[in-house]
Amino acid sequence: MTIPAEGETIQIHSYKHNGKIHRVWQETMVLKGTRNIVIGANERTVVTESDGRTWLTREPSICYFHAEHWFNIICMLREDGVYYYCNISSPFIYDNQSLKYIDYDLDVKVFPDMTYTILDEDEFEDHKKQMDYPEAIDLILHRNVEKLISWIKQRKGPFAPDFIEVWTSRYLFHKQLKISE
């Protein structure tokens, strides 16, 4: 598997279990790329929905993807603090300048005070029936919701106190490099 290079701009493609495209983020700058982890950043990037509608992200975000965990984490940098939007998803693959994963509907929204709420449980149940999620996938997804909540409570990974500072600094460094080119 190829890996994206630091400073490279890639797309992020989200699919549904049935293989249909769900959403595409046009530009994300890679801050770290290894076989297991991709950390990226984007700001005011165009997002295209499966029905062709587009919208622009509002705030800078640091994105965390892992090749072994069944979730990804978007850290949205807002004036009143960092909000986290966590997608329960397949591990990522990197293919053709695009990071790709399957979105499994369940989401966890984490607020700056580290309280959280689980979202879209009804949508998950509907899609589980419609797309016939295997029992093994269902078990993996629920186990990973528990793992993610454990990370939140332990302030692990992107929830660690210095994570945002480190990766925001790296993002600003790369933005300056692009401007000076």
Side-chain angles (χ1 to χ4, degrees), residues 52 60 69 111 115 132 168:
H69 300 304
F111 300 90
T115 58
D132 199 25
T168 301

Side-chain angles (χ1 to χ4, degrees), residues 91-122:
F92 80 89
I93 61 164
Y94 182 69
D95 177 51
N96 213 14
Q97 274 79 36
S98 299
L99 183 142
K100 301 174 181 181
Y101 66 90
I102 298 170
D103 181 300
Y104 279 103
D105 311 307
L106 285 172
D107 301 305
V108 179
K109 185 174 183 180
V110 184
F111 300 90
D113 66 358
M114 290 296 149
T115 58
Y116 61 88
T117 185
I118 298 173
L119 305 171
D120 302 328
E121 291 173 286
D122 291 346

Side-chain angles (χ1 to χ4, degrees), residues 38-52:
V38 171
I39 298 173
N42 59 49
E43 182 175 3
R44 300 190 55 76
T45 191
V46 174
V47 180
T48 304
E49 299 288 338
S50 60
D51 64 5

Side-chain angles (χ1 to χ4, degrees), residues 14-17 22 64-65 69-74 85-91 101-109 117-121 124 133 137-149 152 159:
S14 169
Y15 294 85
K16 287 299 182 183
H17 184 78
H22 173 55
Y64 175 91
F65 298 90
H69 300 304
W70 286 66
F71 52 80
N72 60 64
I73 303 166
I74 312 304
Y85 201 87
C86 312
N87 297 292
I88 301 302
S89 66
S90 68
Y101 66 90
I102 298 170
D103 181 300
Y104 279 103
D105 311 307
L106 285 172
D107 301 305
V108 179
K109 185 174 183 180
T117 185
I118 298 173
L119 305 171
D120 302 328
E121 291 173 286
F124 171 78
Y133 296 173
I137 293 284
D138 189 52
L139 291 170
I140 289 167
L141 298 175
H142 282 92
R143 222 177 302 125
N144 276 270
V145 169
E146 291 172 15
K147 182 186 292 185
L148 180 62
I149 290 169
I152 295 164
F159 307 106

Side-chain angles (χ1 to χ4, degrees), residues 29 31 41-43 167-175:
M29 179 185 292
L31 304 177
N42 59 49
E43 182 175 3
W167 295 106
T168 301
S169 294
R170 179 85 51 98
Y171 178 49
L172 294 174
F173 170 77
H174 280 290
K175 270 178 61 172

